Amino acid sequence: MRIAICDDEPQCRQHAVQAINECTKNPDILTDVFESGKAFLHAFRKKPYDLVFLDIEMPEIDGIGLARQLRELSRDVPIVFLTSHIEYALEGYEVNALRYLTKPIQREKLHELLGHVIERIQGQRTLWLKTDMGEERVQVRDILYLEAQNQNICIRTSDKEYIVRYNLGEYEKELAQDGFFRIHRGYLVSLRHVKSLGKYELKLSENTVLPVSRTKEKALKDALFKYIREEAI
């Protein structure tokens, strides 16, 4: 898990890092610190974080304004505000803040918060994608389908597409446990998003129609029915 802390006060940044390290003691949790919103946003665009701590009272751009810009980059990254003045709490609703922590950070509340976030992340499978824009993270459940395009793979969600250099066969192996099925030489589809089946084609939840190979038709029906049964349990 990658955590970012944005606070203009060096002592507060150091205290937050120390508190996180004491609460987790997990070498897989990496924490980066930033003294300005500009530096933080620049880093987030290159490689998104799993959890963000924002100081509310900062020069140039405060935590609320920074959170508004962050929401343009990510709708779901958990945002935790650090503040000495809890009266700011109401403003956090507009940016869907996860929680407020008062300074100095109380270890018990931080421990509870981290446990909640880690549990939520572990329940949501994600893929880290290396694109021309840097590394980006996408939730597996949001992927509609993957399409082979020469040497690249186009990964499509309902509102975005990612172009990566990879092999569709490798993704087929990697995503088999997540309910993905190879319907055609050039397409790997999430069964979660299949809306209907036609003759040698299928329609996805947002009405995209994709071809189904004649040799894959029966296996696709069997896989889809199996997926529906398992999801209904």
Side-chain angles (χ1 to χ4, degrees):
M1 183 168 77
R2 303 179 69 243
I3 298 175
I5 300 168
C6 187
D7 195 314
D8 64 310
E9 300 179 25
Q11 186 175 356
C12 291
R13 294 196 299 269
Q14 182 180 357
H15 180 266
V17 171
Q18 182 180 351
I20 290 172
N21 291 340
E22 290 177 358
C23 284
T24 62
K25 295 182 173 61
N26 187 338
D28 293 328
I29 294 180
L30 304 177
T31 304
D32 293 333
V33 295
F34 302 91
E35 62 181 23
S36 73
K38 183 178 180 180
F40 162 69
L41 289 174
H42 179 74
F44 193 94
R45 288 188 181 98
K46 287 188 172 182
K47 194 170 184 179
Y49 288 88
D50 301 299
L51 174 62
V52 174
F53 291 87
L54 302 179
D55 179 28
I56 286 188
E57 300 168 88
M58 293 188 292
E60 296 184 6
I61 178 171
D62 62 22
I64 299 294
L66 180 57
R68 292 192 188 104
Q69 294 187 43
L70 178 58
R71 279 287 171 251
E72 295 177 4
L73 301 176
S74 173
R75 293 174 300 174
D76 55 9
V77 62
I79 297 175
V80 178
F81 286 118
L82 304 174
T83 181
S84 302
H85 305 285
I86 199 62
E87 61 266 23
Y88 287 109
L90 288 176
E91 296 184 59
Y93 285 107
E94 66 177 280
V95 291
N96 192 26
L98 175 64
R99 199 165 301 181
Y100 279 75
L101 292 180
T102 55
K103 297 180 180 181
I105 298 174
Q106 298 180 35
R107 297 297 196 275
E108 298 80 8
K109 291 186 176 181
L110 178 61
H111 189 274
E112 177 191 353
L113 168 69
L114 291 173
H116 170 74
V117 173
I118 291 171
E119 182 177 339
R120 190 169 86 171
I121 290 174
Q122 289 176 339
Q124 298 175 346
R125 274 258 294 155
T126 60
L127 289 180
W128 280 102
L129 309 176
K130 291 185 178 181
T131 70
D132 292 339
M133 302 298 293
E135 291 195 40
E136 300 188 61
R137 189 184 67 171
V138 59
Q139 291 191 12
V140 171
R141 66 181 294 118
D142 292 337
I143 298 174
L144 299 172
Y145 66 95
L146 299 87
E147 179 183 359
Q149 297 181 345
N150 297 322
Q151 302 301 314
N152 297 324
I153 301 295
C154 177
I155 299 176
R156 297 185 187 271
T157 66
S158 60
D159 58 0
K160 195 171 182 180
E161 67 176 39
Y162 306 84
I163 304 298
V164 299
R165 291 189 66 83
Y166 205 60
N167 182 279
L168 194 61
E170 292 301 315
Y171 272 132
E172 183 179 9
K173 296 175 186 175
E174 188 172 349
L175 295 172
Q177 62 177 310
D178 301 291
F180 282 74
F181 187 87
R182 186 81 170 265
I183 62 170
H184 185 277
R185 182 178 62 182
Y187 293 97
L188 183 64
V189 168
S190 170
L191 298 177
R192 171 191 296 275
H193 295 287
V194 174
K195 182 178 180 180
S196 63
L197 297 178
K199 189 170 181 62
Y200 308 137
E201 67 178 25
L202 59 74
K203 181 181 289 186
L204 297 177
S205 54
E206 36 63 270
N207 293 324
T208 296
V209 177
L210 297 176
V212 177
S213 295
R214 185 170 304 185
T215 57
K216 296 282 188 178
E217 189 176 30
K218 183 180 184 306
L220 171 60
K221 289 181 180 179
D222 292 342
L224 184 59
F225 292 149
K226 179 182 177 182
Y227 177 80
I228 293 173
R229 285 197 304 269
E230 290 177 348
E231 286 295 298
I233 293 176

